[in-house]
Every structure is written in C-alpha cells, then in structure tokens.
Amino acid sequence: MSIFYILVRYPKGDDSPDSSTDVTAVGGEAWAELLGTTPEQLTDVYPLTQEHAERVRQFTGITLKPETYDYFLEPEQDLSRKMTP
C-alpha cells in the first residue's frame, strides 16, 4: 500500500483548505526527519510552522506564509480524497 504526502494550506481562521499539493516525491524519510519521527510512524496530520518553512521550501519550492495560512502535512492512502485545485 502506498502512502501519499499532501501539503494542505488553510487560510488562518478557516476550517476549509484552499490548496493541497502532492509532495510525495520528497519521500517519507525526509518528512519524518523534519518532523522528528520515523516514516513508519508518519501517519498523523502534522502542522508545519515557521520552524519548518526553510526545509519545506528546499524540499518542494513552496514558500510558506505562516502569518496568513496554516499548513499541514497529511499522509494519505487514498490520494483522490485530498487533492483540490
């Protein structure tokens, strides 16, 4: 079974995401190292903060704007449920 890693962005104060990006290509090892866990334990939703911003940019080319948005790494088994334009 494949695990997909999705970077999801929520406007501050909003419960609905306005963007989600498949960042699976970065790999579970890199995400686990960034978040201080193991790839096998990388099953929850993880907030990405200013502390993670530079590494996320290096991994993905995505610049986080934590003053405007909340970001989460969401591991998923079914990619079709998460992707939004």
Side-chain angles (χ1 to χ4, degrees):
M1 178 180 328
S2 295
I3 300 292
F4 298 93
Y5 299 98
I6 312 302
L7 178 64
V8 182
R9 181 180 80 179
Y10 292 80
K12 289 255 186 221
D14 201 333
D15 291 337
S16 298
D18 73 344
S19 149
S20 58
T21 304
D22 182 354
V23 293
T24 303
V26 171
E29 290 280 340
W31 288 119
E33 180 184 328
L34 177 66
L35 296 167
T37 189
T38 66
E40 297 77 26
Q41 294 176 323
L42 198 58
T43 58
D44 294 324
V45 172
Y46 295 87
L48 298 172
T49 64
Q50 184 64 44
E51 169 188 341
H52 305 112
E54 179 58 24
R55 292 285 303 278
V56 170
R57 189 191 61 71
Q58 291 170 356
F59 288 164
T60 66
I62 297 170
T63 300
L64 301 186
K65 300 176 184 172
E67 64 284 346
T68 307
Y69 299 99
D70 291 318
Y71 297 89
F72 297 89
L73 181 70
E74 300 186 6
E76 285 290 323
Q77 294 180 12
D78 181 2
L79 187 59
S80 64
R81 294 185 357 207
K82 281 290 179 189
M83 298 308 293
T84 59

